Amino acid sequence: MSPTLFAQVLDPAHRADPYPLYEALRRSPVSRQDDGTWVVSSHAAIARLLHDPRISSEDLPDPPLFRWTGHPIQDLLVRPIRSRIVARHRPFIFRDPPDHDLLRRHVMREFSPGRVRRMRRETEAITGALLDRLEGRAAFDLVEDVSYPLPVTVICDLLGVPREDEPRFQGWATQLATALEPNQRTDAANAARNEAAFTAISDYLRGLIRERRASPRDDMLSGLAAGRDGERMNDYDLVATAVLLLVAGHETTVNLITNGILTLLRFPEHAERLRREPEIAPRLIEELLRYEPPVHYRTRLALADIGLGDATIPEGAPVVLLLAAGNRDPARFRDPDRFDPDREDNRHLGFGGGLHYCVGAPLARIEAEVALTAIVRRLPRLRLLDDPPPYRPGASLRGPRRLRLAVEAPVGAAR
Amino acid sequence: MSVAAGSPPRRIVVVGASLCGLSAAQALREEGFSGEIVLVGDEPERPYDRPPLSKQVLRGRCGPDTTLPCRPDLDLRFRLGTAAAGLDPRARRVVLADGGTIAYDRVLIATGTRARPWPGDPGSGPLHTLRTRRDAERLGARLADRPRRVVVVGGGFIGCEAAASIRAMGLDVTQVVRETVPLVQALGDAVGAMVAEVARGAGVDLLTDRGIDGIEAAGGETAVVRLDEGRRIETGCVLVALGAVRNVEWLAGAGLAVSDAGVRVDAECRALTPDGRVVPDVFAAGDVAQWPSAVYGGARLAVEHWGNAVAQGRVAARNMAAAGGPLARHDHLPDFWSHLYGLTVKLVGVPDGADRFAVVQGTLRERRFVGIYGAGERTVAAVSVDSARWLPAYRAAIAEGAPFPPFTGALDQPGFAPHPLATA
C-alpha cells in the first residue's frame, strides 16, 4: 500500500511541487490519514475551521523527555519544574483564548501605524544596502544575500535585538521552527535539540529584556517589557513572545521573498510589469501569498466531534489545515494554478485566518513589496540557475534553501 | 420552483433611493439588465449610508456626507425629493406626490422605514429624531452648541448608540428607557444588563423602568421632560429614539397585503395580495418587506438590518431582471452589528420567541463573550461582544437548525448554564 497522501506531502521528494498532491487531497477535502491525523484541504472547510471554537491551537504536549544526567536536584526538581513552566507559557500561536487574546493584544499594540511606517523606510534602506553589496557579482544566492538577511535585520531592529548578535540565534531560530513540522516534533532527538535551543535563546532574551527594562528604547521589546495601561505580560510569556517574533521573523518572510522572485522569473511578464508599474506590488504580493504561501499548513486539535459535510472529525484528533491547498481550490479561485495579480476578491489563506491570523502580516507585506520591487528594478535581467531549486526540509514552512541567480546586466547603483 | 414571467422588462422603477434600492439597481446591471432604471426617493440626496449617522457622524469623526459609492456606468435615472404617493399595479404605474406618474414594467418597493416621532413633534425646536442625513445634521449642529444636558428617549439600538456617541463627546446624557434594561427586546435581559452597566460606567445617567408623561417646550431650544414618577429634567436637546415606522401608507388601495409589519412578499421577493397570490411585477425588499424565512420554518420576518437590505435587494433584482427560468430565493439568515461604548456587538439569527439564553464562550463580566438564544430545543440566534470571529461557526449551526446548545467542547467555554430569557 502506498503511503497516505499527507505522508507524501511530508516527504522531501515532493517539496518542489506539492500541488498535485494537494489536488488529490482536495478530492476528499476532510480526510483521515493512517496515523489518525485529519487533513483539511478545501478553502471552504479550512475557512470554517479557522473560525470554529472547537478547534484548539494548544496541541497535545510533547511527551516528556527524561534524560538522566546523574544530578538529582537537576533531574528531579529543576528540570520538571522548568518544563512545566515552559509548557504553560508557550508562545501565543500555541495558546487558546482567553490567554491568547491578552498576549496577542500586547503585540498588536506594538504594531502601531507610526512604527509600521518607520519599518517601511528602514526596510527600503536595508534592501538598498543588501543590493549594493551585489554590485559586480555575476551570480549570487538570493536566499543568503537578500531573502534571509532582510527580514532578519528588520525583525532585529523592530524588536531591538542588536544586529551584531544575530548570528548567535540564527541556528536557534532554524531549530525552533521545526516545532511546526509534525514529523519533527515527534522525533525525540529533535525535541531535545528544541529544548536546548529554547533554553539558549530564552537566556539570551532574558538578559536583553533586563537591559531594556533598565534603559528603555523605542523598540518592541522595550514596549512589551514596560506594558501599557497598567497591563504587562509576565516574564515567561514575554520571553515566549519574543522568541516567537524572532523565529517568525527568521523563518517565514524569507520564503515569501524567495518564492516571489522564483515565481517572477518563471513568469517574466509579471516581473516586467512590476518593473513598469510598481503600484501593482500590493496586489502581486497578495497573489503570491495565495499561489506560493510561505506557510503551507498549520496543525490544530479538535476539542469535540466536528461534523463537516459528510465527515466527522473526532474529538482529540490532530487536524492539519492545509492552507496552501485551500489557496489552489478551484471551488474558490477561478483557474487556481495560474499566477494572476489581477485576481479579484483574492481571499487567500496565506496568513491563515480567524484569531491566529498572522500578527506580522503588515510587516511581511511591506518586506515583500519593497524587496521584490527593488530587485526587479535594480536587477532587470536575472536568470534562474536551478529550477526547481533545492528546498529546505520543512513541509509547513516551505521554501527554497538556495536560489542561485545569474546576473545578466550590471546592478545599478541608484536605489 | 417558481419561474419568471416570459417577456423581458424594459423599465424597472425602484421606489426608495437608499441602500436597498441602490443595491438592487446595481444587481440589475450585474444581471445584464440594459433597460431603464428609475430610482424614486423622497429625500433630496443620492443614496447614502445610515449606520454611521448615529456613530462616526454624530461624534464628528466624519462629515454627514455618507453617500454610497455608485458607479457611473450603472446609468440610473434619479427622481429625488419626490415621495411616491400611490401604486397602481393594474395600470403598472407609480403615482408621485407631485402629481406625476411613472409607468413601469416591474417595480421594487424599497421605501424602508422612518423614525417614530414623539406625538405632536413639529420636527423643529428641542425635539430630534435620528434616521436621515438631515436629522443627523440638525442634531449635530445642536450638539455643537454643547447643550447642558441631552435626554435620549428610548432603549433600542439608535438610542443606545446615540447616548454612547453623545456621552463620548463629553456632554451630559440622560437616557430614559421604559424597559428594565436597554436593548432588552433585541438582545434580552442578560446582555441588556451588561449594556446598562457599561453605559453607567461611561457616565450616562441611565433611568430604566421609567415612562415619560410629557415633554414641554420651554422656549427656544430648551424643554422639560416630565417623568412618570414626577421628576422633571430640564434639557437643551431631546433625542426621541422610539423605533421605526414602515413607510407603507402610500400603498393603501394598491391591493397588496400590507400592515404595520410591512409589505408581505414570498421568498422570491414578490409582493402578495391579502389572500396570498402573487401581484404581477411588484416586488419588495429591505426594511419594508416581510418575508417567509426558510431557516425559521416559514415564519414571517421583517428586519431593519443593513445586510438584509443589500441581500434582499439583490435577490429581488435578480428576479426582476429574469425573463423565464427559475427564480432566486431569499434565504438570508439575518444579522447586524452595533458599536456601543467601544464594544462591538454582533447578532446572527432572530432571537424573537427565544426563551433561553446562555453564555457559551468568554464571560459577561469581561464583556467579551458569545451568547446563544434557544427557542424550545433549537438555537435560533447568537450574539457576540468583542468576539465576532466565532460567529461564523454559530451562524452555520443556526442555519442548519442546530440544537441548544449547537455544540459543546468549544475553547474558552464556561460550564453550560442556560438562563430563562426575558425580553421585556
Side-chain angles (χ1 to χ4, degrees), chain A residues 51 53 55 97-98 101 303-304 355, chain B residues 361 389-390 393 396 408-412:
Chain A
H51 290 95
I55 286 287
D101 301 24
L303 295 177
L355 79 162
Chain B
Q361 289 183 260
R389 59 180 176 237
W390 300 126
T408 53
L411 42 89
D412 196 12

Side-chain angles (χ1 to χ4, degrees), chain A residues 48 50-57 96-98 100-101 105 303-304 354-355, chain B residues 361 366 368 389-394 396-397 400 406-412:
Chain A
R48 191 158 166 181
L50 283 170
H51 290 95
D52 195 303
R54 293 163 293 175
I55 286 287
S56 170
S57 295
D96 288 339
H100 162 275
D101 301 24
R105 195 160 66 223
L303 295 177
L355 79 162
Chain B
Q361 289 183 260
E366 291 171 279
R368 187 189 53 77
R389 59 180 176 237
W390 300 126
L391 277 189
Y394 292 90
E400 288 160 9
F407 43 75
T408 53
L411 42 89
D412 196 12

Side-chain angles (χ1 to χ4, degrees), chain A residues 8-328:
Chain A
Q8 294 182 56
V9 169
L10 297 180
D11 181 349
H14 293 108
R15 203 64 78 241
D17 186 12
Y19 297 104
L21 289 170
Y22 296 168
E23 190 186 339
L25 275 162
R26 274 196 311 266
R27 278 179 216 135
S28 61
V30 181
S31 60
R32 186 185 181 281
Q33 308 296 301
D34 286 347
D35 65 353
T37 300
W38 286 71
V39 176
V40 182
S41 49
S42 71
H43 189 281
I46 295 167
R48 191 158 166 181
L49 289 181
L50 283 170
H51 290 95
D52 195 303
R54 293 163 293 175
I55 286 287
S56 170
S57 295
E58 293 186 359
D59 43 9
L60 296 168
D62 299 326
L65 295 166
F66 195 81
R67 279 169 299 131
W68 190 252
T69 64
H71 192 305
I73 294 177
Q74 274 295 325
D75 289 342
L76 300 175
L77 201 64
V78 177
R79 284 191 32 140
I81 291 174
R82 206 185 54 206
S83 318
R84 221 173 309 152
I85 291 172
V86 169
R88 279 214 346 238
H89 296 275
R90 304 189 72 191
F92 62 82
I93 57 166
F94 301 119
R95 304 274 284 270
D96 288 339
D99 299 357
H100 162 275
D101 301 24
L102 293 167
L103 297 175
R104 183 182 165 105
R105 195 160 66 223
H106 284 285
V107 174
M108 292 299 287
R109 283 185 192 150
E110 295 298 320
F111 273 107
S112 62
R115 183 169 273 154
V116 170
R117 267 196 304 278
R118 279 202 302 282
M119 289 322 294
R120 180 179 282 275
R121 286 198 299 274
E122 274 194 54
T123 303
E124 283 166 355
I126 296 163
T127 308
L130 289 170
L131 294 183
D132 286 346
R133 279 199 245 154
L134 297 177
E135 252 175 87
R137 302 259 296 271
F140 67 99
D141 171 12
L142 183 79
V143 176
E144 190 188 328
D145 291 322
V146 184
S147 316
Y148 193 78
L150 173 61
V152 162
T153 312
V154 169
I155 195 69
C156 286
D157 287 2
L158 185 69
L159 273 174
V161 171
R163 284 185 194 179
E164 59 273 20
D165 288 349
E166 200 282 324
R168 295 174 59 186
F169 44 72
Q170 260 195 35
W172 300 331
T174 307
Q175 177 59 45
L176 288 169
T178 63
L180 294 190
E181 311 292 340
N183 49 346
Q184 295 290 311
R185 209 169 38 192
T186 50
D187 170 351
N190 191 63
R193 285 196 296 273
N194 267 345
E195 197 188 316
F198 187 80
T199 305
I201 199 169
S202 318
D203 290 345
Y204 171 84
L205 284 168
R206 249 193 299 276
L208 202 56
I209 288 163
R210 214 173 300 129
E211 280 175 37
R212 290 296 182 273
R213 247 190 210 130
S215 47
R217 300 185 192 174
D218 181 21
D219 56 41
M220 266 176 101
L221 214 49
S222 301
L224 291 172
R228 266 184 215 198
D229 309 329
E231 285 180 37
R232 196 174 104 175
M233 22 173 130
N234 65 51
D235 281 13
Y236 298 110
D237 286 332
L238 180 50
V239 167
T241 302
V243 171
L244 169 67
L245 297 174
L246 266 174
V247 173
H250 275 69
E251 300 296 317
T252 55
T253 315
V254 53
N255 294 339
L256 185 59
I257 295 171
T258 313
N259 289 337
I261 291 298
L262 179 61
T263 304
L264 288 177
L265 293 179
R266 282 174 176 170
F267 307 107
E269 68 274 21
H270 293 298
E272 184 51 38
R273 182 153 170 225
L274 180 60
R275 192 160 29 243
R276 282 197 325 263
E277 305 169 44
E279 63 276 11
I280 67 154
R283 297 185 69 108
L284 189 137
I285 301 303
E286 293 313 302
E287 175 65 348
L288 189 59
L289 284 157
R290 184 192 71 82
Y291 186 80
E292 286 278 22
V295 179
H296 273 223
Y297 62 84
R298 294 287 292 110
T299 313
R300 301 282 204 267
L301 184 73
L303 295 177
D305 290 357
I306 302 172
L308 262 181
D310 300 333
T312 298
I313 302 174
E315 178 183 341
V319 181
V320 169
L321 303 178
L322 200 41
L323 307 168
N327 279 352
R328 300 277 190 116

Side-chain angles (χ1 to χ4, degrees), chain B residues 12 95 143 151 263 266 328-329 337 376 406:
Chain B
I12 291 177
V95 182
L143 295 175
V151 175
V263 180
D266 60 13
R329 293 173 65 86
W337 78 97

Side-chain angles (χ1 to χ4, degrees), chain B residues 103-200:
Chain B
Y104 64 78
D105 294 308
R106 278 173 195 162
V107 65
L108 176 66
I109 299 166
T111 39
T113 65
R114 61 181 182 275
R116 185 187 303 279
W118 189 255
D121 175 12
S124 61
L127 290 184
H128 293 260
T129 53
L130 186 48
R131 169 79 191 170
T132 65
R133 179 183 296 174
R134 266 181 296 179
D135 291 342
E137 282 171 339
R138 196 169 84 84
L139 179 59
R142 181 65 193 121
L143 295 175
D145 295 340
R146 304 195 70 76
R148 230 183 49 219
R149 175 164 293 276
V150 180
V151 175
V152 176
V153 181
F157 275 103
I158 296 294
C160 290
E161 287 177 1
S165 301
I166 296 168
R167 182 67 201 127
M169 296 164 72
L171 293 168
D172 288 333
V173 178
T174 298
Q175 188 180 5
V176 185
V177 176
R178 201 178 329 135
E179 298 82 14
T180 51
V181 290
L183 299 177
V184 69
Q185 286 169 1
L187 301 177
D189 49 348
V191 181
M194 184 212 73
V195 171
E197 202 181 284
V198 175
R200 291 191 173 116

